[in-house]
């Protein structure tokens, strides 16, 4: 058994145990965060049945997407910061974007989504850890943002994403995830939306995220090992 396969099994085991602990069996999808990792590792995970992969850097991702075009059923998720001049390529290469923080970016993704592709799945990145983190839309901006994005025809608004400030105490990890889950629920209720995705939980806090309702956990390190930034072009 390869190291990658055994790490893949361990991540599944962690997810499965966390699901069981909160009575949520089968409700959590693994997003394999493959930034800095070679196409060969993605291909190996694909052979083991993994389909959803997350990338942060457009050029690196575009190279891998092209290289792996022959693999059936791969689903690519963009999860990194988005500059305006990158929206066209993101809109044409990816099926999901988790890191939308502003209407301007959403509008560009909508306008640049190729007509022959289905709507691009969108999560809005929310800032749930107050001033410590600069990324993500503020909670008070969210109602207006979700309503506006939900009306763009070539986007499908799926839910919310967050990266809480690092916290090693598992009990304290839960509070920001609960806040994101409560926010999704109240936005759905108050604006008659049907968002179904909570993209939350990484290597260090996936159990806390699953306990609070994550539907997608984004796992890099536990799956692929430490990131290799020297491999970036
Ligand atoms: C890199 C990254 C991850 C994966 O983090 P790990 O701690 O390595 O599991 C998840 N989400 C986002 C947005 C990332 O940039």
């Amino acid at each position: 058994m390869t190291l990658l396969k055994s790490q893949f099994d361990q991540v599944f085991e962690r997810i499965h145990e966390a699901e069981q602990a909160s009575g949520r069996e089968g409700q959590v999808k693994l997003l394999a965060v493959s930034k800095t990792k070679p196409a060969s590792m993605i291909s190996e995970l694909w052979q083991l049945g993994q389909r959803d992969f997350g990338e942060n850097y457009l050029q690196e991702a575009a190279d891998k997407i092209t290289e792996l075009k022959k693999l059936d059923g791969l689903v690519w998720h963009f999860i990194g910061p988005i500059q305006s001049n990158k929206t066209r390529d993101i809109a044409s290469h990816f099926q999901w974007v988790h890191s939308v923080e502003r209407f301007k970016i959403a509008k560009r993704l909508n306008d640049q989504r190729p007509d022959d592709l289905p709507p691009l799945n969108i999560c809005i990145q929310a800032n749930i850890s107050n001033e410590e983190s600069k990324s993500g839309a503020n909670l008070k901006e969210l109602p207006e943002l979700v309503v506006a994005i939900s009306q763009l025809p070539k986007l499908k608004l799926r839910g919310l994403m967050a990266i809480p400030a690092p916290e090693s105490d598992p009990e304290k990890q839960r509070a920001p995830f609960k806040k994101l889950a409560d926010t999704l629920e109240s936005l759905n209720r108050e604006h008659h939306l049907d968002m179904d995705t909570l993209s939350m939980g990484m290597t260090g806090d996936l159990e806390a995220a699953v306990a609070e309702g994550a539907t997608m956990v984004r796992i890099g390190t536990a799956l692929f090992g430490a990131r290799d930034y020297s491999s970036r072009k």
Side-chain angles (χ1 to χ4, degrees), residues 33 35 56 79 161 163 202-204 218-222 227:
V33 176
K35 61 183 177 223
N56 294 54
I79 63 174
M161 181 274 242
I163 310 173
M202 314 191 340
T203 290
R218 307 179 310 270
I219 308 298
T221 310
R227 277 183 279 284

Side-chain angles (χ1 to χ4, degrees), residues 124-154:
I124 299 174
Q125 183 172 352
N127 181 354
I128 41 170
S129 302
N130 52 56
E131 307 85 44
E132 285 171 60
S133 148
K134 282 174 211 73
S135 48
N138 292 323
L139 293 187
K140 60 179 188 319
E141 303 168 349
L142 280 180
E144 203 182 321
L145 195 54
V146 294
V147 169
I149 291 178
S150 70
Q151 287 161 5
L152 295 171
K154 287 196 279 179

